Amino acid sequence: MILKNKIVLLLLICSFNVSNANIVLAKSIDIEDNKAISKIDGKQVFYFGKKIKKDKKAIVVNKVMNYDASLGYGFDFNSESNVKLNSKSFNIEAPTYFSVKVPEGNYQVTVTFGSKTKSTTTTIKAESRRLFLDQQVLKKGETTTKVFNVNVRTSKIDEKSQIQLKDRDLGQLNWDEKLTLEFLGTVEIKSISITPITNVKTVYLAGDSTVTDQDLEPWASWGQFITNYFDQNVVVANYAVSGATLRSFKASLRLKKVLSIIKPGDYLIVEFAHNDEKEKGEGIGPWDSYSASIREYVQAARDKGAIPILITPVQRRAFNADGTLKPTHGDYPDAMRKVAQEMNVPLVDITKLTTTLYESWGDEPSRKAFVQYPANTFPGQKEKLEDNTHFNSFGANEIALCVMKGLRDLNSPLAQYFLKEVPQYNPNQPNAFAKWTLPMSNRFEIVKPDGN
């Protein structure tokens, strides 16, 4: 049982035979002591189960508990009712969250899962729905371990400044004091470890709503799906935000934050235009403010020893009568291409790749990649959703695959960190929505993200 800051753990002190019965003595252990010994070099290890013996290097979770900030861990978002605690694991059949209080930084997460009694299908997301494991199937009796890297951040830059977060950012998992893991499917978890890491290559993303980690279903962006395709040498730090322009991203101090922590050898990937093209005024436009801002971002990254990569904007879903796509971005893609050529910056032409992608699907099938759903598909949704800019999870994953294709075609050093089992992607032969089975998270928002 839990009483404020104490948890009763079974500690095997001695075992002896009396009338053929094993007697186990128990001792009450202060949770603060238990946590202290588990945080060797900041590492936190959690074992789950009713019959797990005390481990001096781990926290034993032998009761289902809500997240408690004073303890620093627990099941979150009222999902504890989904959890069944077994002798040496817990299992779920509905989306379940487990959160751990950690400081800002990069973390290697290790999750061991599988069941002795049944087959399992495990999906793992972290923070604001960043995908790290897509429906791994294990047979009865099989156990495996997944290792991946998660970036945890705060808005603080230094003692005098911090990122200017929007109101809708404040409740997002990306901006709280925790590292949150989301488990979906028929899942059985045995242990979780969270280890601070510093010697990892960081890929920083600067962009708008088509790039950012969308916190709530059914919205999604490529930045939260490309995480599923990198190996353990890379962590993605996605600072993109809905509604952003190059200038507003800088004005809200997101660029300053990135530059305060980026290291030599890290990457800064920049994709803007959807909202920049709506700015008005003298000196505003693709060949003026937009091009000047791109140059500033590129030079700022290089001054820090980092490697800039430019990405032209993803296309909107806007078809001509003949089945070709309308170019809705004007001169902005050309302006970015020109800066990339002038400054010798690697450029992924997602505008061209997504033109091919959407036209390969065709007008009607391409709807399945965007947030287009009939009324009452989601809780509280009284009207149909018909968005031609923002992706659902299927579309966001396809865009992530396009980004990877672009990096591979460039022979970018980043491509060496893609998981070896990830196949080559051809936007002329895109995946079909009918084969997309990733389970949805159970947190929804009907209001569309900022920007268009």
Side-chain angles (χ1 to χ4, degrees):
M1 65 184 293
I2 300 174
L3 296 173
K4 295 184 179 178
N5 290 333
K6 288 202 170 190
I7 181 170
V8 176
L9 301 178
L10 288 179
L11 174 63
L12 182 61
I13 299 176
C14 62
S15 180
F16 53 94
N17 191 283
V18 178
S19 300
N20 298 319
N22 287 328
I23 306 299
V24 179
L25 303 184
K27 179 181 178 181
S28 176
I29 298 196
D30 194 304
I31 189 62
E32 296 301 325
D33 295 335
N34 190 34
K35 284 185 67 180
I37 60 179
S38 74
K39 289 187 177 182
I40 300 173
D41 296 327
K43 180 176 182 179
Q44 297 191 65
V45 180
F46 298 87
Y47 293 153
F48 298 90
K50 297 177 181 178
K51 297 184 179 180
I52 297 291
K53 299 176 183 178
K54 175 184 173 292
D55 188 306
K56 66 180 180 179
K57 296 181 180 180
I59 296 174
V60 176
V61 180
N62 56 11
K63 293 285 186 180
V64 178
M65 62 188 76
N66 288 325
Y67 176 80
D68 185 333
S70 63
L71 293 178
Y73 65 89
F75 294 98
D76 219 338
F77 292 99
N78 300 312
S79 63
E80 73 285 349
S81 60
N82 301 330
V83 178
K84 178 184 176 183
L85 204 62
N86 307 312
S87 59
K88 294 184 179 181
S89 64
F90 75 84
N91 66 270
I92 61 148
E93 294 188 359
T96 298
Y97 301 82
F98 186 78
S99 295
V100 181
K101 188 174 184 178
V102 295
E104 181 175 41
N106 294 320
Y107 294 86
Q108 186 166 92
V109 178
T110 303
V111 182
T112 299
F113 54 97
S115 173
K116 292 182 179 180
T117 61
K118 61 182 180 180
S119 62
T120 58
T121 303
T122 304
T123 293
I124 303 176
K125 303 176 188 179
E127 296 291 87
S128 289
R129 295 172 50 234
R130 303 174 213 163
L131 184 63
F132 288 98
L133 183 66
D134 182 2
Q135 303 169 94
Q136 179 160 347
V137 176
L138 295 177
K139 297 178 181 178
K140 174 182 173 180
E142 290 183 331
T143 299
T144 193
T145 297
K146 173 68 175 178
V147 181
F148 53 93
N149 299 331
V150 179
N151 171 261
V152 175
R153 56 184 170 273
T154 68
S155 60
K156 182 178 180 180
I157 302 171
D158 51 41
E159 294 303 323
K160 296 182 179 180
S161 59
Q162 64 180 19
I163 294 173
Q164 298 166 13
L165 297 177
K166 298 181 178 181
D167 287 345
R168 66 189 298 172
D169 294 335
L170 298 177
Q172 295 182 358
L173 291 177
N174 274 355
W175 297 107
D176 59 20
E177 61 180 6
K178 305 170 289 188
L179 192 166
T180 299
L181 300 175
E182 179 184 359
F183 301 102
L184 304 101
T186 53
V187 180
E188 188 163 323
I189 305 296
K190 299 180 182 301
S191 66
I192 299 170
S193 72
I194 298 173
T195 306
I197 49 175
T198 55
N199 59 338
V200 63
K201 192 172 295 294
T202 305
V203 178
Y204 292 89
L205 304 184
D208 53 34
S209 60
T210 65
V211 184
T212 190
D213 293 339
Q214 295 290 356
D215 194 58
L216 301 173
E217 297 278 10
W219 318 93
S221 299
W222 68 259
Q224 66 196 132
F225 278 82
I226 203 167
T227 51
N228 187 43
Y229 300 116
F230 278 114
D231 65 20
Q232 298 169 28
N233 296 295
V234 167
V235 65
V236 177
N238 190 348
Y239 280 84
V241 60
S242 295
T245 66
L246 280 159
R247 299 199 306 163
S248 71
F249 188 92
K250 178 185 175 182
S252 65
L253 304 186
R254 287 176 183 259
L255 179 61
K256 180 178 179 179
K257 171 74 173 188
V258 170
L259 295 175
S260 73
I261 51 180
I262 200 168
K263 309 184 304 298
D266 287 344
Y267 288 80
L268 176 62
I269 296 181
V270 180
E271 184 204 312
F272 289 91
H274 278 79
N275 305 300
D276 304 74
E277 61 200 43
K278 292 176 284 186
E279 291 184 320
K280 306 294 181 183
E282 185 176 353
I284 304 297
W287 307 108
D288 299 303
S289 59
Y290 181 74
S291 294
S293 293
I294 295 172
R295 293 187 184 96
E296 180 183 0
Y297 279 54
V298 168
Q299 192 57 52
R302 287 175 169 170
D303 289 345
K304 290 290 186 176
I307 302 164
I309 297 176
L310 299 178
I311 298 186
T312 58
V314 297
Q315 284 282 37
R316 296 182 177 93
R317 186 191 159 278
F319 280 86
N320 294 305
D322 63 358
T324 60
L325 209 65
K326 296 178 182 178
T328 66
H329 292 301
D331 288 337
Y332 282 84
D334 279 341
M336 179 173 278
R337 293 173 188 129
K338 186 171 187 289
V339 173
Q341 184 176 28
E342 290 174 349
M343 299 188 73
N344 194 27
V345 186
L347 178 135
V348 176
D349 202 329
I350 285 294
T351 308
K352 289 184 177 179
L353 287 168
T354 51
T355 298
T356 300
L357 176 66
Y358 302 171
E359 290 179 353
S360 297
W361 275 322
D363 188 349
E364 195 62 30
S366 66
R367 294 178 183 275
K368 298 295 185 179
F370 291 82
V371 177
Q372 298 204 8
Y373 298 95
N376 302 311
T377 302
F378 305 105
Q381 179 210 346
K382 297 180 180 180
E383 299 179 358
K384 69 177 181 179
L385 296 172
E386 193 165 5
D387 194 307
N388 290 301
T389 297
H390 299 107
F391 308 105
N392 57 21
S393 292
F394 167 67
N397 186 67
E398 294 292 294
I399 305 303
L401 293 172
C402 284
V403 172
M404 292 169 63
K405 173 179 169 50
L407 292 170
R408 280 171 164 160
D409 290 348
L410 287 171
N411 291 317
S412 169
L414 252 187
Q416 68 182 299
Y417 303 113
F418 296 151
L419 294 171
K420 305 304 180 189
E421 61 268 25
V422 178
Q424 298 285 338
Y425 183 75
N426 183 357
N428 287 291
Q429 298 175 323
N431 294 309
F433 177 74
K435 296 182 179 180
W436 182 252
T437 56
L438 182 75
M440 277 192 171
S441 303
N442 63 346
R443 299 165 57 242
F444 302 91
E445 181 178 47
I446 305 308
V447 179
K448 80 177 187 67
D450 294 338
N452 183 26

PDB file of all heavy atoms in Angstrom, residues 2-16:
ATOM      1  N   ILE A   2       0.311   2.388  -0.431  1.00  0.00           N
ATOM      2  CA  ILE A   2       1.079   3.630  -0.460  1.00  0.00           C
ATOM      3  C   ILE A   2       0.508   4.586   0.578  1.00  0.00           C
ATOM      4  O   ILE A   2      -0.664   4.859   0.614  1.00  0.00           O
ATOM      5  CB  ILE A   2       0.991   4.273  -1.853  1.00  0.00           C
ATOM      6  CG1 ILE A   2       1.552   3.302  -2.882  1.00  0.00           C
ATOM      7  CG2 ILE A   2       1.713   5.586  -1.891  1.00  0.00           C
ATOM      8  CD1 ILE A   2       1.364   3.788  -4.290  1.00  0.00           C
ATOM      9  N   LEU A   3       1.380   5.113   1.428  1.00  0.00           N
ATOM     10  CA  LEU A   3       0.987   6.102   2.417  1.00  0.00           C
ATOM     11  C   LEU A   3       1.896   7.302   2.254  1.00  0.00           C
ATOM     12  O   LEU A   3       3.045   7.284   2.660  1.00  0.00           O
ATOM     13  CB  LEU A   3       1.110   5.527   3.834  1.00  0.00           C
ATOM     14  CG  LEU A   3       0.189   4.349   4.170  1.00  0.00           C
ATOM     15  CD1 LEU A   3       0.546   3.788   5.532  1.00  0.00           C
ATOM     16  CD2 LEU A   3      -1.266   4.772   4.130  1.00  0.00           C
ATOM     17  N   LYS A   4       1.372   8.363   1.600  1.00  0.00           N
ATOM     18  CA  LYS A   4       2.145   9.549   1.316  1.00  0.00           C
ATOM     19  C   LYS A   4       3.445   9.166   0.626  1.00  0.00           C
ATOM     20  O   LYS A   4       3.444   8.714  -0.491  1.00  0.00           O
ATOM     21  CB  LYS A   4       2.379  10.355   2.588  1.00  0.00           C
ATOM     22  CG  LYS A   4       1.063  10.910   3.163  1.00  0.00           C
ATOM     23  CD  LYS A   4       1.289  11.773   4.362  1.00  0.00           C
ATOM     24  CE  LYS A   4      -0.022  12.317   4.894  1.00  0.00           C
ATOM     25  NZ  LYS A   4       0.152  13.131   6.087  1.00  0.00           N
ATOM     26  N   ASN A   5       4.584   9.355   1.298  1.00  0.00           N
ATOM     27  CA  ASN A   5       5.857   9.108   0.642  1.00  0.00           C
ATOM     28  C   ASN A   5       6.418   7.745   0.950  1.00  0.00           C
ATOM     29  O   ASN A   5       7.615   7.505   0.806  1.00  0.00           O
ATOM     30  CB  ASN A   5       6.878  10.173   1.041  1.00  0.00           C
ATOM     31  CG  ASN A   5       6.544  11.516   0.454  1.00  0.00           C
ATOM     32  OD1 ASN A   5       5.904  11.573  -0.586  1.00  0.00           O
ATOM     33  ND2 ASN A   5       6.963  12.587   1.105  1.00  0.00           N
ATOM     34  N   LYS A   6       5.586   6.804   1.390  1.00  0.00           N
ATOM     35  CA  LYS A   6       6.102   5.470   1.702  1.00  0.00           C
ATOM     36  C   LYS A   6       5.421   4.423   0.856  1.00  0.00           C
ATOM     37  O   LYS A   6       4.260   4.523   0.523  1.00  0.00           O
ATOM     38  CB  LYS A   6       5.899   5.145   3.185  1.00  0.00           C
ATOM     39  CG  LYS A   6       6.842   5.943   4.088  1.00  0.00           C
ATOM     40  CD  LYS A   6       7.024   5.251   5.420  1.00  0.00           C
ATOM     41  CE  LYS A   6       8.130   5.904   6.220  1.00  0.00           C
ATOM     42  NZ  LYS A   6       8.487   5.117   7.391  1.00  0.00           N
ATOM     43  N   ILE A   7       6.200   3.415   0.513  1.00  0.00           N
ATOM     44  CA  ILE A   7       5.632   2.279  -0.179  1.00  0.00           C
ATOM     45  C   ILE A   7       6.162   1.028   0.495  1.00  0.00           C
ATOM     46  O   ILE A   7       7.339   0.955   0.851  1.00  0.00           O
ATOM     47  CB  ILE A   7       6.021   2.309  -1.674  1.00  0.00           C
ATOM     48  CG1 ILE A   7       5.399   1.116  -2.383  1.00  0.00           C
ATOM     49  CG2 ILE A   7       7.510   2.316  -1.886  1.00  0.00           C
ATOM     50  CD1 ILE A   7       5.534   1.202  -3.889  1.00  0.00           C
ATOM     51  N   VAL A   8       5.293   0.095   0.731  1.00  0.00           N
ATOM     52  CA  VAL A   8       5.701  -1.140   1.394  1.00  0.00           C
ATOM     53  C   VAL A   8       6.186  -2.108   0.326  1.00  0.00           C
ATOM     54  O   VAL A   8       5.451  -2.435  -0.588  1.00  0.00           O
ATOM     55  CB  VAL A   8       4.527  -1.751   2.174  1.00  0.00           C
ATOM     56  CG1 VAL A   8       4.945  -3.084   2.778  1.00  0.00           C
ATOM     57  CG2 VAL A   8       4.075  -0.798   3.284  1.00  0.00           C
ATOM     58  N   LEU A   9       7.414  -2.526   0.425  1.00  0.00           N
ATOM     59  CA  LEU A   9       7.999  -3.472  -0.503  1.00  0.00           C
ATOM     60  C   LEU A   9       8.371  -4.722   0.249  1.00  0.00           C
ATOM     61  O   LEU A   9       8.775  -4.668   1.414  1.00  0.00           O
ATOM     62  CB  LEU A   9       9.262  -2.887  -1.152  1.00  0.00           C
ATOM     63  CG  LEU A   9       9.093  -1.587  -1.936  1.00  0.00           C
ATOM     64  CD1 LEU A   9      10.447  -1.129  -2.453  1.00  0.00           C
ATOM     65  CD2 LEU A   9       8.165  -1.822  -3.096  1.00  0.00           C
ATOM     66  N   LEU A  10       8.258  -5.861  -0.413  1.00  0.00           N
ATOM     67  CA  LEU A  10       8.699  -7.104   0.186  1.00  0.00           C
ATOM     68  C   LEU A  10      10.187  -7.243  -0.004  1.00  0.00           C
ATOM     69  O   LEU A  10      10.689  -7.202  -1.119  1.00  0.00           O
ATOM     70  CB  LEU A  10       7.967  -8.282  -0.469  1.00  0.00           C
ATOM     71  CG  LEU A  10       6.492  -8.409  -0.096  1.00  0.00           C
ATOM     72  CD1 LEU A  10       5.899  -9.596  -0.826  1.00  0.00           C
ATOM     73  CD2 LEU A  10       6.320  -8.562   1.398  1.00  0.00           C
ATOM     74  N   LEU A  11      10.908  -7.370   1.073  1.00  0.00           N
ATOM     75  CA  LEU A  11      12.349  -7.535   1.040  1.00  0.00           C
ATOM     76  C   LEU A  11      12.679  -8.914   1.570  1.00  0.00           C
ATOM     77  O   LEU A  11      12.350  -9.248   2.697  1.00  0.00           O
ATOM     78  CB  LEU A  11      13.026  -6.459   1.908  1.00  0.00           C
ATOM     79  CG  LEU A  11      14.544  -6.591   2.086  1.00  0.00           C
ATOM     80  CD1 LEU A  11      15.228  -6.450   0.735  1.00  0.00           C
ATOM     81  CD2 LEU A  11      15.045  -5.551   3.056  1.00  0.00           C
ATOM     82  N   LEU A  12      13.329  -9.712   0.742  1.00  0.00           N
ATOM     83  CA  LEU A  12      13.690 -11.052   1.152  1.00  0.00           C
ATOM     84  C   LEU A  12      14.926 -10.966   2.045  1.00  0.00           C
ATOM     85  O   LEU A  12      16.019 -10.713   1.583  1.00  0.00           O
ATOM     86  CB  LEU A  12      13.989 -11.925  -0.078  1.00  0.00           C
ATOM     87  CG  LEU A  12      14.337 -13.377   0.209  1.00  0.00           C
ATOM     88  CD1 LEU A  12      13.158 -14.066   0.907  1.00  0.00           C
ATOM     89  CD2 LEU A  12      14.679 -14.109  -1.080  1.00  0.00           C
ATOM     90  N   ILE A  13      14.700 -11.150   3.345  1.00  0.00           N
ATOM     91  CA  ILE A  13      15.796 -11.104   4.297  1.00  0.00           C
ATOM     92  C   ILE A  13      16.308 -12.502   4.569  1.00  0.00           C
ATOM     93  O   ILE A  13      17.499 -12.765   4.590  1.00  0.00           O
ATOM     94  CB  ILE A  13      15.326 -10.434   5.616  1.00  0.00           C
ATOM     95  CG1 ILE A  13      14.871  -9.000   5.298  1.00  0.00           C
ATOM     96  CG2 ILE A  13      16.433 -10.465   6.642  1.00  0.00           C
ATOM     97  CD1 ILE A  13      14.302  -8.307   6.503  1.00  0.00           C
ATOM     98  N   CYS A  14      15.424 -13.407   4.740  1.00  0.00           N
ATOM     99  CA  CYS A  14      15.839 -14.785   4.899  1.00  0.00           C
ATOM    100  C   CYS A  14      14.661 -15.681   4.565  1.00  0.00           C
ATOM    101  O   CYS A  14      13.515 -15.255   4.592  1.00  0.00           O
ATOM    102  CB  CYS A  14      16.323 -15.069   6.328  1.00  0.00           C
ATOM    103  SG  CYS A  14      15.066 -14.847   7.580  1.00  0.00           S
ATOM    104  N   SER A  15      14.944 -16.912   4.203  1.00  0.00           N
ATOM    105  CA  SER A  15      13.906 -17.864   3.868  1.00  0.00           C
ATOM    106  C   SER A  15      14.280 -19.206   4.467  1.00  0.00           C
ATOM    107  O   SER A  15      15.385 -19.674   4.294  1.00  0.00           O
ATOM    108  CB  SER A  15      13.783 -17.978   2.341  1.00  0.00           C
ATOM    109  OG  SER A  15      12.782 -18.906   2.031  1.00  0.00           O
ATOM    110  N   PHE A  16      13.352 -19.766   5.243  1.00  0.00           N
ATOM    111  CA  PHE A  16      13.668 -21.042   5.854  1.00  0.00           C
ATOM    112  C   PHE A  16      12.425 -21.900   5.879  1.00  0.00           C
ATOM    113  O   PHE A  16      11.316 -21.423   5.715  1.00  0.00           O
ATOM    114  CB  PHE A  16      14.225 -20.836   7.267  1.00  0.00           C
ATOM    115  CG  PHE A  16      13.348 -19.987   8.162  1.00  0.00           C
ATOM    116  CD1 PHE A  16      12.412 -20.573   9.017  1.00  0.00           C
ATOM    117  CD2 PHE A  16      13.458 -18.614   8.132  1.00  0.00           C
ATOM    118  CE1 PHE A  16      11.619 -19.792   9.820  1.00  0.00           C
ATOM    119  CE2 PHE A  16      12.663 -17.838   8.959  1.00  0.00           C
ATOM    120  CZ  PHE A  16      11.737 -18.427   9.814  1.00  0.00           C
TER     121      PHE A  16
END
